[in-house]
Amino acid sequence: RALFLATVCGMPKNFETQIGEITKDFLWDGRKRGLITMNQAARSISEGGLGIPDISTRLEAIEIIWLKKWLRSGKRPAWAVLTDEIIRLNVTPIPITEPKSRISWLLQSWHESQTESARIPNTITRMLKVARKYNIGIDFLHAKKSVKDEMPIWHHPAIKNNYLWNKPAARCLRNTHNIETV
């Protein structure tokens, strides 16, 4: 039941730790050390383990599923669009990123703020943490010209000197001429 609820609501880190401790106490009958490690116990029976569920791995898998739904192309669910907006409103203060240049967290080089004052729900924070852990991003060798033309020009991940985005010429292109893509 806990994993089902975690699918919808997420699970606080302290609950994850408590479930791990309860499992360990049950498995090792309250002793400090067991005859095998928890990693060995989590392996399948065919691999010599006990088939005990690894809570942290399953919770990470849940985050990956949410990440996959968020990154889906085409018609996206309303919560995915709302998530984009929450991230756009909570960016790092340095380097300065104008609101009009924040198009896509995935396609651009700007990041959400991880400060205490950021108002990003824990569910989104966990999902983005998993995305960074596995280096989720757009990486293609031979893209069609039409795909390249749709890439955001501002904070493009291939450009390393981001100070150019805040120069007067860039502001003019962005704000006066509404330039958004390559």
Side-chain angles (χ1 to χ4, degrees):
R1 259 194 295 193
L3 285 175
F4 172 76
L5 291 173
T7 303
V8 178
C9 305
M11 183 179 290
K13 192 69 177 164
N14 63 332
F15 284 3
E16 181 183 337
T17 304
Q18 284 178 345
I19 289 174
E21 292 296 321
I22 291 168
T23 304
K24 205 179 337 178
D25 285 347
F26 174 77
L27 184 62
W28 295 339
D29 200 23
R31 288 181 249 135
K32 277 191 166 186
R33 291 182 182 239
L35 299 175
I36 61 173
T37 65
M38 282 305 289
N39 287 340
Q40 290 170 324
R43 290 184 185 156
S44 67
I45 294 171
S46 64
E47 293 176 331
L50 299 175
I52 304 290
D54 182 358
I55 297 298
S56 59
T57 302
R58 290 186 184 212
L59 290 173
E60 191 171 89
I62 290 168
E63 294 301 331
I64 291 170
I65 296 300
W66 280 109
L67 182 63
K68 181 180 171 185
K69 290 177 183 179
W70 176 55
L71 297 175
R72 183 181 318 159
S73 62
K75 185 164 173 47
R76 298 171 68 212
W79 68 265
V81 177
L82 182 63
T83 298
D84 290 341
E85 195 58 30
I86 290 170
I87 294 169
R88 259 189 227 111
L89 292 173
N90 290 281
V91 299
T92 54
I94 299 173
I96 297 170
T97 309
E98 285 189 8
K100 199 165 184 178
S101 68
R102 302 174 200 157
I103 298 168
S104 170
W105 179 89
L106 180 69
L107 300 175
Q108 295 178 287
S109 60
W110 57 271
H111 294 289
E112 80 286 355
S113 177
Q114 296 177 348
T115 63
E116 292 292 322
S117 62
R119 290 174 282 172
I120 301 177
N122 290 335
T123 52
I124 297 173
T125 303
R126 286 191 307 266
M127 183 177 67
L128 296 177
K129 191 175 182 180
V130 168
R132 280 201 191 82
K133 178 179 178 180
Y134 293 105
N135 295 320
I136 301 297
I138 301 294
D139 190 21
F140 43 81
L141 297 175
H142 305 289
K144 294 179 183 177
K145 184 174 177 352
S146 61
V147 172
K148 288 180 182 178
D149 290 345
E150 291 298 315
M151 289 290 290
I153 192 167
W154 312 115
H155 303 280
H156 196 285
I159 309 279
K160 298 303 176 202
N161 34 347
N162 284 330
Y163 67 91
L164 295 172
W165 307 136
N166 294 316
K167 298 283 185 186
R171 284 195 187 117
C172 177
L173 287 170
R174 189 169 42 246
N175 298 326
T176 306
H177 303 286
N178 295 318
I179 303 295
E180 290 184 349
T181 60
V182 175

